[in-house]
Amino acid sequence: MKQHKIVIIGGGPAGLAAALGAKAHGIDDVLILERDERLGGILNQCIHNGFGLHTFKEELTGPEYAQRYIDRVLAAGIPYQLRTTVAEITPNREILCVNAEEGAVTIKADAVILAMGCRERPRGALGLPGFRPAGVYTAGTAQRLMNIDGYMVGREAVILGSGDIGLIMARRMTLEGAKVRAVAELMPYSGGLKRNIVQCLDDFGIPLKLSHTVTKIHGKERVTGVTLSQVCADRKPIPGTEEYYSCDTLLLSCGLLPENELSKSASVELDPVTGGAVVSDRLETSVPGIFSCGNVLHVHDLVDNVSQEAARAGEKAAEFVKNGRSSGGTAIRLKGENGVRYTVPQILYADDMDEKLTVRLRVGDVFRNKALVVCYDGKEVKRLKKRIMAPGEMEEVTLQRDSLTDDVREIIIRVEG
């Protein structure tokens, strides 16, 4: 059995930043395990710009952003293994991994950082009626085929779901000469960033049909078209609103799911709303010594936030290795109510928290001219006025250590008028 101080599962933006965070805080024995043939994760197929504005103060493409971190990892001498699949993680931090060179190997780690990212919701989870013809792709699969493999997935497309990947692929396909007939969104609001709606749809004259869904996929061998129908408040199709759109391709951009199968094998407690781990302010899961960060924890909008969060996970994992345990103290529960779907972290230890803690959250609807209100045991301590809040845009609230008293047991963040 091999031994390492810290093992990081995933060599994408979260894994790279976590490795650098751990190294910067005094742990030299850090190993990154990555199942792909290169470091960088999903950023390698994101050839559009818009990355790095917060981290590097300039606009980069996904591969450029990833390369900045890869160069730092190489300069720091942090080892990594590519084409290595992790099959299982046990609660006592034993990692079973497999690769072609060594076969099956078990690694014992003093601390583990989960950075596996997320996956797309597939057609099978959506219950779309029709045959199973060629031409139906998740948006991320189409993005990889086009940007890495150089394969044009279709010439006439409809996109279901207005997540950021779907919006970006609407623009990408248009630039490659395809005709994007429409983007349909089940909800009455978009699931993507406002800037992507403007830059990827409005700038190219692509219609966004809110409160619409696909009610039939036409074609048996290859997609020949789809039927879109308007939906009512309970998300059910309204009879008589059917519209047929001719197309040879249907892209699905219907949400991302944290890739937490390995977390389950380690008996990590998962949040039913985020799909990711329940973590403390140290980004430590319910299993001591196992930390989580990035899109495997909760789906982020900006890779800059992923890098910031992951660097913190690396720092806290390094502290765990040095101390041999987590810091103690009284646990304070954080939760969202009245329009706030979730908070990350979900648990706070005031005894040894940092001077400032950034709590990230998402709302469950579009709110205009409202406020985010923070309450300690029912008492309001902070009110942040917001012109607009939407599910597609992550919100942040900063908590100050000196604002917490010894008797606080619960922190609630909610939306108020």
mmCIF file of all heavy atoms in Angstrom, residues 89-108:
data_model
loop_
_atom_site.group_PDB
_atom_site.id
_atom_site.type_symbol
_atom_site.label_atom_id
_atom_site.label_comp_id
_atom_site.label_asym_id
_atom_site.label_seq_id
_atom_site.Cartn_x
_atom_site.Cartn_y
_atom_site.Cartn_z
ATOM 1 N N ILE A 89 -13.259 4.999 -2.343
ATOM 2 C CA ILE A 89 -12.600 5.647 -1.209
ATOM 3 C C ILE A 89 -13.282 5.137 0.057
ATOM 4 O O ILE A 89 -14.515 5.163 0.152
ATOM 5 C CB ILE A 89 -12.718 7.181 -1.274
ATOM 6 C CG1 ILE A 89 -12.153 7.716 -2.590
ATOM 7 C CG2 ILE A 89 -11.995 7.827 -0.095
ATOM 8 C CD1 ILE A 89 -12.398 9.194 -2.798
ATOM 9 N N THR A 90 -12.516 4.670 1.003
ATOM 10 C CA THR A 90 -13.092 4.169 2.243
ATOM 11 C C THR A 90 -13.121 5.298 3.283
ATOM 12 O O THR A 90 -12.381 6.281 3.160
ATOM 13 C CB THR A 90 -12.289 2.990 2.803
ATOM 14 O OG1 THR A 90 -10.990 3.461 3.205
ATOM 15 C CG2 THR A 90 -12.129 1.900 1.753
ATOM 16 N N PRO A 91 -13.962 5.165 4.325
ATOM 17 C CA PRO A 91 -14.021 6.205 5.361
ATOM 18 C C PRO A 91 -12.700 6.448 6.090
ATOM 19 O O PRO A 91 -12.492 7.528 6.639
ATOM 20 C CB PRO A 91 -15.092 5.676 6.327
ATOM 21 C CG PRO A 91 -15.963 4.798 5.480
ATOM 22 C CD PRO A 91 -15.020 4.143 4.501
ATOM 23 N N ASN A 92 -11.807 5.454 6.081
ATOM 24 C CA ASN A 92 -10.507 5.671 6.718
ATOM 25 C C ASN A 92 -9.447 6.128 5.725
ATOM 26 O O ASN A 92 -8.244 5.992 5.946
ATOM 27 C CB ASN A 92 -10.043 4.410 7.462
ATOM 28 C CG ASN A 92 -9.799 3.250 6.518
ATOM 29 O OD1 ASN A 92 -10.230 3.280 5.366
ATOM 30 N ND2 ASN A 92 -9.095 2.230 7.001
ATOM 31 N N ARG A 93 -9.917 6.668 4.580
ATOM 32 C CA ARG A 93 -9.091 7.365 3.587
ATOM 33 C C ARG A 93 -8.121 6.436 2.848
ATOM 34 O O ARG A 93 -6.997 6.810 2.543
ATOM 35 C CB ARG A 93 -8.344 8.540 4.242
ATOM 36 C CG ARG A 93 -9.263 9.529 4.928
ATOM 37 C CD ARG A 93 -8.515 10.736 5.446
ATOM 38 N NE ARG A 93 -7.555 10.422 6.493
ATOM 39 C CZ ARG A 93 -7.872 10.221 7.767
ATOM 40 N NH1 ARG A 93 -9.139 10.288 8.168
ATOM 41 N NH2 ARG A 93 -6.935 9.965 8.657
ATOM 42 N N GLU A 94 -8.597 5.235 2.545
ATOM 43 C CA GLU A 94 -7.871 4.344 1.641
ATOM 44 C C GLU A 94 -8.508 4.463 0.258
ATOM 45 O O GLU A 94 -9.727 4.344 0.107
ATOM 46 C CB GLU A 94 -7.923 2.902 2.140
ATOM 47 C CG GLU A 94 -7.117 2.677 3.399
ATOM 48 C CD GLU A 94 -7.133 1.218 3.836
ATOM 49 O OE1 GLU A 94 -7.745 0.386 3.132
ATOM 50 O OE2 GLU A 94 -6.534 0.914 4.891
ATOM 51 N N ILE A 95 -7.666 4.686 -0.737
ATOM 52 C CA ILE A 95 -8.137 4.973 -2.090
ATOM 53 C C ILE A 95 -7.735 3.828 -3.009
ATOM 54 O O ILE A 95 -6.542 3.526 -3.147
ATOM 55 C CB ILE A 95 -7.525 6.291 -2.601
ATOM 56 C CG1 ILE A 95 -7.890 7.444 -1.666
ATOM 57 C CG2 ILE A 95 -7.975 6.595 -4.024
ATOM 58 C CD1 ILE A 95 -6.981 8.640 -1.797
ATOM 59 N N LEU A 96 -8.720 3.203 -3.636
ATOM 60 C CA LEU A 96 -8.445 2.164 -4.628
ATOM 61 C C LEU A 96 -8.506 2.801 -6.002
ATOM 62 O O LEU A 96 -9.550 3.322 -6.409
ATOM 63 C CB LEU A 96 -9.469 1.029 -4.530
ATOM 64 C CG LEU A 96 -9.366 -0.051 -5.617
ATOM 65 C CD1 LEU A 96 -8.020 -0.770 -5.537
ATOM 66 C CD2 LEU A 96 -10.520 -1.040 -5.506
ATOM 67 N N CYS A 97 -7.399 2.781 -6.731
ATOM 68 C CA CYS A 97 -7.356 3.372 -8.064
ATOM 69 C C CYS A 97 -6.759 2.377 -9.056
ATOM 70 O O CYS A 97 -6.046 1.440 -8.676
ATOM 71 C CB CYS A 97 -6.575 4.679 -8.070
ATOM 72 S SG CYS A 97 -4.862 4.555 -7.510
ATOM 73 N N VAL A 98 -7.053 2.601 -10.333
ATOM 74 C CA VAL A 98 -6.647 1.674 -11.390
ATOM 75 C C VAL A 98 -6.066 2.463 -12.551
ATOM 76 O O VAL A 98 -6.635 3.489 -12.971
ATOM 77 C CB VAL A 98 -7.849 0.835 -11.890
ATOM 78 C CG1 VAL A 98 -7.406 -0.151 -12.957
ATOM 79 C CG2 VAL A 98 -8.527 0.126 -10.732
ATOM 80 N N ASN A 99 -4.939 1.990 -13.080
ATOM 81 C CA ASN A 99 -4.411 2.531 -14.334
ATOM 82 C C ASN A 99 -3.700 1.431 -15.108
ATOM 83 O O ASN A 99 -3.464 0.328 -14.589
ATOM 84 C CB ASN A 99 -3.487 3.737 -14.096
ATOM 85 C CG ASN A 99 -2.276 3.400 -13.244
ATOM 86 O OD1 ASN A 99 -1.599 2.403 -13.464
ATOM 87 N ND2 ASN A 99 -2.000 4.242 -12.250
ATOM 88 N N ALA A 100 -3.389 1.711 -16.366
ATOM 89 C CA ALA A 100 -2.832 0.678 -17.243
ATOM 90 C C ALA A 100 -1.427 0.272 -16.843
ATOM 91 O O ALA A 100 -1.011 -0.869 -17.083
ATOM 92 C CB ALA A 100 -2.840 1.184 -18.692
ATOM 93 N N GLU A 101 -0.670 1.179 -16.252
ATOM 94 C CA GLU A 101 0.727 0.889 -15.922
ATOM 95 C C GLU A 101 0.870 0.022 -14.676
ATOM 96 O O GLU A 101 1.681 -0.905 -14.632
ATOM 97 C CB GLU A 101 1.506 2.202 -15.720
ATOM 98 C CG GLU A 101 1.765 2.994 -16.992
ATOM 99 C CD GLU A 101 0.519 3.711 -17.488
ATOM 100 O OE1 GLU A 101 -0.365 3.995 -16.644
ATOM 101 O OE2 GLU A 101 0.421 3.981 -18.695
ATOM 102 N N GLU A 102 0.085 0.314 -13.643
ATOM 103 C CA GLU A 102 0.257 -0.359 -12.357
ATOM 104 C C GLU A 102 -0.867 -1.319 -12.011
ATOM 105 O O GLU A 102 -0.751 -2.091 -11.061
ATOM 106 C CB GLU A 102 0.360 0.688 -11.233
ATOM 107 C CG GLU A 102 1.529 1.648 -11.374
ATOM 108 C CD GLU A 102 1.525 2.703 -10.277
ATOM 109 O OE1 GLU A 102 0.598 3.525 -10.262
ATOM 110 O OE2 GLU A 102 2.445 2.673 -9.438
ATOM 111 N N GLY A 103 -1.956 -1.274 -12.755
ATOM 112 C CA GLY A 103 -3.118 -2.085 -12.391
ATOM 113 C C GLY A 103 -3.855 -1.461 -11.225
ATOM 114 O O GLY A 103 -3.969 -0.242 -11.126
ATOM 115 N N ALA A 104 -4.353 -2.294 -10.316
ATOM 116 C CA ALA A 104 -5.081 -1.805 -9.149
ATOM 117 C C ALA A 104 -4.102 -1.489 -8.015
ATOM 118 O O ALA A 104 -3.264 -2.314 -7.660
ATOM 119 C CB ALA A 104 -6.096 -2.838 -8.684
ATOM 120 N N VAL A 105 -4.220 -0.285 -7.471
ATOM 121 C CA VAL A 105 -3.315 0.176 -6.419
ATOM 122 C C VAL A 105 -4.142 0.790 -5.294
ATOM 123 O O VAL A 105 -5.125 1.492 -5.548
ATOM 124 C CB VAL A 105 -2.325 1.229 -6.966
ATOM 125 C CG1 VAL A 105 -1.439 1.761 -5.837
ATOM 126 C CG2 VAL A 105 -1.476 0.643 -8.071
ATOM 127 N N THR A 106 -3.737 0.530 -4.056
ATOM 128 C CA THR A 106 -4.382 1.156 -2.903
ATOM 129 C C THR A 106 -3.438 2.192 -2.305
ATOM 130 O O THR A 106 -2.253 1.914 -2.085
ATOM 131 C CB THR A 106 -4.749 0.116 -1.832
ATOM 132 O OG1 THR A 106 -5.651 -0.838 -2.396
ATOM 133 C CG2 THR A 106 -5.424 0.788 -0.645
ATOM 134 N N ILE A 107 -3.980 3.382 -2.078
ATOM 135 C CA ILE A 107 -3.202 4.482 -1.504
ATOM 136 C C ILE A 107 -3.835 4.882 -0.187
ATOM 137 O O ILE A 107 -5.040 5.115 -0.110
ATOM 138 C CB ILE A 107 -3.169 5.699 -2.452
ATOM 139 C CG1 ILE A 107 -2.570 5.322 -3.807
ATOM 140 C CG2 ILE A 107 -2.390 6.848 -1.831
ATOM 141 C CD1 ILE A 107 -2.678 6.409 -4.857
ATOM 142 N N LYS A 108 -3.028 4.963 0.853
ATOM 143 C CA LYS A 108 -3.508 5.446 2.155
ATOM 144 C C LYS A 108 -3.119 6.911 2.287
ATOM 145 O O LYS A 108 -1.956 7.284 2.135
ATOM 146 C CB LYS A 108 -2.876 4.654 3.291
ATOM 147 C CG LYS A 108 -3.343 5.097 4.683
ATOM 148 C CD LYS A 108 -4.815 4.752 4.900
ATOM 149 C CE LYS A 108 -5.234 4.965 6.359
ATOM 150 N NZ LYS A 108 -5.301 6.403 6.719
#
